[in-house]
Amino acid sequence: MLEITDLKVQAAGNEILHGLNLSVKAGEVHAIMGPNGSGKSTLARALSGHPEYQVTAGAVRYLGEDLLAMAPEDRARAGVFMAFQYPVEIAGVNNSYFLKAALNALRKHRGEPELDAMEFMTLVREKAKLLELDASMLNRPVNEGFSGGEKKRNEIFHMAVLEPKLAILDETDSGLDIDALKIVAHGVNALRSPDRAIIVVTHYQRLLNYIVPDFVHVLSDGRIVKSGGKELALELEDKGYGWLEGEPTGAKA
Amino acid sequence: MTTAQKTIEDLANREYKYGFFTDVEADTVAPGLDEDVIRLISAKKEEPEWLLEWRLKAYRAWLGMTEPTWHNVHYPPIDYQAISYYSAPKKKPVLNSLDEVDPEVRSTFAKLGIPLEEQKLLAGVAVDAVFDSVSVATTFRVKLASLGIIFCSFSEAVREHPDLVREYLGSVVPYSDNFFAALNAAVFSDGSFAYIPKGVRCPMELSTYFRINAMNTGQFERTLIVAAEGASVSYLEGCTAPMRDENQLHAAVVELVAMDDATIKYSTIQNWYPGDKDGKGGIYNFVTKRGKCQGRNSKITWTQVETGSAITWKYPSCLLIGDNSVGEFYSVATTNGRQQADTGTKMIHIGRNTKSTIVSKGISAGHGQNTYRGLVRVGKKAQGARNYSQCDSLLIGDKCGAHTFPYLDIKNTSAKVEHEASTSKIGEDQIFYCRQRGLSTEDAVNLIVSGFCKEVFRELPMEFAVEAQKLLSVSLEGSVG
């Protein structure tokens, strides 16, 4: 589904990813771990097309297409979703109204009829239950006045409604207490499916107790320095990231 | 170039695409202003002697006044002797059917949801014999008259209801009020008059009829609305359809009077020609709007959506005289290209327990300059007065400006006055967030802008709110590539 080859990315003139390789198949859950500043979030943002991150070399194929040539909204319409590390507030715009506009933009792209208000509300109520969202969060402005945990839960709620093919969760666990973490993980697990791939970017192993990955990759200084199964995360929990620094680069999943 | 920069460039370069095709064959006097011109205007309109005297007094007052310069707008000097002050337009359709109208204009009409017959009037197409403004007027008039409501052109009111006009004309905005109001009083062309008698709730929005009627009112409009005890009325002025006008200077006056327990809701959508991308040829809109809450428990609400004009200078205000009276001001003003707006309100608390609310939303894009200027005055006897003001500015790009000048003048210690202000920018991060969810940049901007304006839009009558929302998205259309 996703094939990243020798990806180099810079932000504000500094190269952050120095040639990253990663291959993700449908149905798989990959965890990207690494210390602060290793480039985890840069990878997530580059894949979603954030304008502040410039790809200077390498290639990304997504479902056979050149992902890097697509505008952010075209990536979204093709099924790429990113749960933001810092979800953005949009004052005055009702959360469910926003989501309806987004869903209908996706449906229109796929040549499906747009959902009307009734159909949409039925769908939304069902998905809201999954994330144990309070109904009031649907009618509040997008992320405005939401607590940190609510914002993260809202991101996964968006994911549940938009049903992407490739979901990238950028440090979704940061700022979550254990109860919220369980709810979010439960939501993500419910969305695991054979035709959907999920990339979980996280600093801590904790989230991976609840969202159990198929593969774990350790990112250090802009490269994947080690890849393995879910045990790797536990090993990291024990030893920290220090023991991996200086490992050979270019490991492939 | 980043998206936001591109948005700004495109917004700044956006041209006003829609024009008018009306050929005006008019009965016009030579440019210039003196007492003879005023006598001529009055005579042409067959006005009574007292009105002519009033106009002349206004003119003499105007001669002794100087054009204000305190505002935050800049324009070349206006030569008041180069303007023709009387023009009776005789509209002559130049097109035979809507098919001949520029498809782009038609599609704008369609997007704004303007009824077909109105489209014809607006575009200067000959209208069917079945439908003309006279017959529409008659239908409405019969319905309103059965309730005792008077709603007619100002000239007609002078002829048919001289006592009412004489009683209230200038009672809220005196002829000597300010430079532009004095000029208007001297030379006003026409406008609207509404009188809602005691205890009557006007059953319809006074809108469509006015919209058509307003086509002929010219550059110095005068509107007077009186709601008697317990009466209520909602009045809609303007039109989302773009208005181009030969006359660059517009100086209108609106006076509202609300008696005991009366309510007046006055809503405006203004979309006049803003000029080309250098600001040339746009309308100068210098308006004086004021409402007087004369009676106890009376209420006046001003709601405005200002998207057009090169210069907007207007401060719809409320004199809160009656005890427990309420004044409200809800405004969205957008400036784009080289547009300048200096707008706000004055809430003058005179009676006891009077309340006022001010919600002002300024949107600046391109090189637009947007100024909020508001005064809250609480008089000595205004025991228990309360005011809440909220002024928010939204900037699109970095070449525009937003300015806020709140003035407070509080003479009663029991008054409670709150003021909140914010300035925000449509950020790259907001736009990116929307795009990551599948929305185009253009849809993202529209969404963010409509969210910003929400508190004002919900004060508009339903159908007007829908039009206003469409207007904002139409005016932002094509702003991003």
Side-chain angles (χ1 to χ4, degrees), chain A residues 42-61:
Chain A
T42 297
L43 174 63
R45 288 168 200 172
L47 291 177
S48 58
H50 195 292
E52 282 167 25
Y53 294 81
Q54 287 93 38
V55 174
T56 51
V60 180
R61 309 290 296 176

Side-chain angles (χ1 to χ4, degrees), chain A residues 26-168:
Chain A
E28 295 175 350
V29 174
H30 289 244
I32 309 278
M33 302 186 70
N36 288 331
S38 59
K40 302 187 300 287
S41 288
T42 297
L43 174 63
R45 288 168 200 172
L47 291 177
S48 58
H50 195 292
E52 282 167 25
Y53 294 81
Q54 287 93 38
V55 174
T56 51
V60 180
R61 309 290 296 176
Y62 166 71
L63 295 173
E65 304 228 20
D66 179 4
L67 187 72
L68 301 175
M70 296 161 81
E73 61 268 38
D74 293 328
R75 299 182 196 196
R77 291 168 192 171
V80 177
F81 177 91
M82 180 173 77
F84 282 59
Q85 183 180 2
Y86 304 108
V88 178
E89 299 185 3
I90 307 175
V93 177
N94 184 301
N95 196 23
S96 59
Y97 178 83
F98 174 78
L99 206 45
K100 178 164 168 261
L103 179 63
N104 281 335
L106 266 49
R107 292 180 65 93
K108 210 168 142 186
H109 174 78
R110 297 196 294 252
E112 296 165 9
E114 297 186 12
L115 292 187
D116 65 27
M118 290 300 284
E119 293 165 328
F120 178 75
M121 282 321 287
T122 312
L123 173 75
V124 154
R125 287 212 186 88
E126 178 199 318
K127 302 289 185 183
K129 235 181 266 170
L130 181 70
L131 274 302
E132 298 178 32
L133 281 194
D134 191 72
S136 76
M137 255 171 77
L138 300 176
N139 297 318
R140 276 156 61 188
V142 180
N143 292 321
E144 201 188 35
F146 285 24
S147 69
E150 282 176 327
K151 284 183 184 175
K152 297 300 179 73
R153 233 192 290 176
N154 193 42
E155 291 293 286
I156 305 304
F157 168 61
H158 283 193
M159 173 180 161
V161 173
L162 301 177
E163 302 186 317
K165 293 194 181 85
L166 172 65
I168 305 158

Side-chain angles (χ1 to χ4, degrees), chain B residues 379-431:
Chain B
K380 268 190 215 135
K381 293 178 182 161
Q383 196 69 20
R386 278 165 58 186
N387 163 264
Y388 172 74
S389 303
Q390 182 191 335
C391 304
D392 299 323
S393 305
L394 185 69
L395 304 173
I396 305 178
D398 52 11
K399 294 186 183 117
C400 52
H403 317 271
T404 304
F405 299 101
Y407 303 90
L408 298 174
D409 177 9
I410 314 296
K411 297 215 167 63
N412 185 303
T413 51
S414 70
K416 270 192 198 161
V417 176
E418 287 174 71
H419 181 90
E420 287 179 27
S422 77
T423 301
S424 54
K425 239 179 137 163
I426 292 194
E428 280 286 343
D429 56 343
Q430 284 180 318
I431 291 175

Side-chain angles (χ1 to χ4, degrees), chain A residues 33 205 209 229-239:
Chain A
M33 302 186 70
Q205 189 271 338
N209 289 335
K230 59 184 179 214
E231 341 58 68
L232 180 56
L234 294 168
E235 210 175 336
L236 284 168
E237 181 79 351
D238 274 357
K239 304 187 184 172

